Amino acid sequence: MVYDKIVVTGLGAMTPLGGDLAATWDGLVAGASGVAVIEDEWARELPVRLAAQLPVDPAATLPRKDSRKLDRGEQMAIVTARQAWADAGSPEVAPERLAVVIGTGYGGVQSTLGQHRILEQAGARRMSPHTVIMLMPNGPAAWVSIDLGAKAGARTPVSACASGAEAIATGMEMIQHGLADVVVAGGVEAPVDTLPLAAFAQMKALSTRHSDPAAASRPFDADRDGFVLGEGAGLLVLERAGFAAARGARVYAVAAGAATNSDALDIVTADPAGQRRAIEAALAGAGLTPTDIDLVHAHATSTPVGDPLEAEAITQTIGTHPAVTATKSMTGHMLGAAGAVGAIATVLSIRDGVIPPVRNLDRLNPTIKLDVVSGPARHETVRAAVANAFGFGGHNVSLAFTAP
């Protein structure tokens, strides 16, 4: 069966660098940092108080009657979807041919914790009647499907830090199999609260560089000490190429290949073999060879163990010739949104011929032989690129994009 190509026609983002796509991209290119110490009273006793939070309130652009029944992640999803939809030119598509796929790692964790506090302190009758719809992981996809009138499906991959990238892969699969002409796909996460911070701190996964927050997230650097928890959302509008052409849509890039697999090895530690299989399968699906790849957007969270394992997988499958970037150095790790925002950065690098630098890369880990971009952004043509996302549980996703 010959499939039509899949193209990217719209982008939307809310990240610690800005409340929209333009601000986020400007921050990434500039090598800015969205990391700070949490000064709020609720975080005072936490062992780690570093986080990358949105500089804007997603609820501010929504009517109060709507925002009060939405979790923060659901608010982000609606705002970001509207951005992406407008950016795509608000396609006229039959509702039965429009789908939404939005991944998340934890769902409405802030609503879960907030309502539990109310339950403990004031009793059950003081809880919000909207609690269930605020905490359910499928909430962002469901709300966006309602907002856009999407009736071809509202799906929610939950695969930890690979969720957003897996949502894009799922959206591509839906178009390939004729289930939709247009899919809004990506990820969202709003995890900055007591339990996630304390839990990640307890497993020694977080940076403790409180004295210099902007330098805390440092993928591939020899002195990295863990990741920084972040929040955000990233959504792409994917279209069947023929449908996009018929309506005269502007095309950012071709979503050329995607692959997902599982390690079946360890619940936390990644397996380079699984990562290699994902990268190789994404290249094969896109009809690309390793020498075609000009850029790799690495998952690279800034953990001592994870970064070298991914570097090994990239080296063995693609080689050391492509430029490598890792934008979590600026945004922190947005968990279920991370893979989607990484895909957006990859698409924009293809569009603009600009590769964001890896912030805080003062001394490359000596075992890593990759061409990791440091210092200022690099200006060079990107014809084809790979974006990786890997999650606890052994979830591996690789996405391949090419110039239109």
Side-chain angles (χ1 to χ4, degrees):
M1 182 177 182
V2 178
Y3 295 118
D4 200 353
K5 286 183 178 179
I6 299 167
V7 294
V8 181
T9 61
L11 301 172
M14 297 191 80
T15 74
L17 298 179
D20 58 24
L21 181 71
T24 293
W25 182 233
D26 287 347
L28 291 175
V29 172
S33 175
V35 180
V37 174
I38 304 171
E39 302 292 353
D40 300 296
E41 176 70 25
W42 62 263
R44 182 164 297 177
E45 301 302 322
L46 292 175
V48 174
R49 295 182 293 115
L50 293 171
Q53 297 175 278
L54 297 183
V56 298
D57 182 2
T61 61
L62 299 171
R64 176 169 168 72
K65 67 180 179 63
D66 295 334
S67 64
R68 62 190 293 271
K69 59 185 178 184
L70 299 170
D71 176 74
R72 184 172 175 86
E74 294 171 340
Q75 294 169 357
M76 281 191 251
I78 291 176
V79 173
T80 304
R82 290 175 179 175
Q83 289 179 18
W85 194 248
D87 187 51
S90 302
E92 292 186 10
V93 55
E96 294 79 13
R97 302 296 298 167
L98 171 63
V100 173
V101 188
I102 301 179
T104 181
Y106 295 92
V109 65
Q110 287 194 8
S111 294
T112 301
L113 294 173
Q115 292 302 311
H116 183 260
R117 294 183 191 111
I118 292 173
L119 174 63
E120 292 291 294
Q121 296 168 9
R125 293 187 180 277
R126 302 297 298 175
M127 291 174 61
S128 169
H130 307 296
T131 298
V132 171
I133 59 174
M134 289 193 293
L135 62 84
M136 61 190 195
N138 63 306
W143 279 115
V144 170
S145 73
I146 293 168
D147 196 54
L148 297 180
K151 297 184 178 181
R155 299 188 181 182
T156 305
V158 179
S159 46
C161 312
S163 301
E166 186 168 338
I168 296 169
T170 301
M172 292 170 62
E173 184 178 9
M174 292 185 73
I175 294 173
Q176 284 179 335
H177 289 279
L179 302 177
D181 292 317
V182 182
V183 180
V184 177
V188 63
E189 205 79 78
V192 181
D193 208 322
T194 52
L195 182 61
L197 280 164
F200 279 121
Q202 188 67 9
M203 69 185 302
K204 309 299 182 186
L206 300 180
S207 172
T208 58
R209 202 180 291 259
H210 291 89
S211 61
D212 192 1
S217 184
R218 41 198 321 113
F220 298 125
D221 188 76
D223 297 320
R224 67 196 181 280
D225 69 329
F227 71 82
V228 174
L229 191 65
E231 63 175 357
L235 294 173
L236 297 77
V237 177
L238 306 173
E239 295 191 39
R240 182 171 55 80
F243 184 88
R247 70 180 190 88
R250 178 267 329 271
V251 173
Y252 281 104
V254 176
T260 65
N261 68 38
S262 52
D263 291 342
L265 179 68
D266 187 90
I267 200 70
V268 174
T269 303
D271 180 8
Q275 297 179 359
R276 289 196 302 268
R277 288 189 293 114
I279 295 169
E280 289 169 348
L283 292 180
L288 298 170
T289 66
T291 56
D292 293 324
I293 303 303
D294 297 316
L295 167 67
V296 176
H297 186 288
H299 180 68
T301 63
S302 184
T303 58
V305 175
D307 290 7
L309 292 179
E310 183 181 8
E312 175 188 337
I314 294 169
T315 300
Q316 293 178 350
T317 54
I318 298 176
T320 58
H321 67 276
V324 176
T325 190
T327 55
K328 290 183 184 69
S329 60
M330 296 170 272
T331 65
H333 190 355
M334 296 175 286
L335 306 181
V341 173
I344 288 171
T346 304
V347 167
L348 292 175
S349 287
I350 291 173
R351 182 194 69 175
D352 292 351
V354 179
I355 302 172
V358 177
R359 183 185 172 88
N360 303 320
L361 186 60
D362 299 330
R363 185 166 61 96
L364 185 66
N365 190 95
T367 65
I368 295 172
K369 308 303 180 184
L370 299 173
D371 179 18
V372 184
V373 179
S374 62
R378 187 179 296 181
H379 293 257
E380 60 183 48
T381 300
V382 179
R383 301 161 301 169
V386 167
N388 292 330
F390 310 122
F392 282 177
H395 302 277
N396 302 311
V397 182
S398 285
L399 306 171
F401 296 94
T402 62

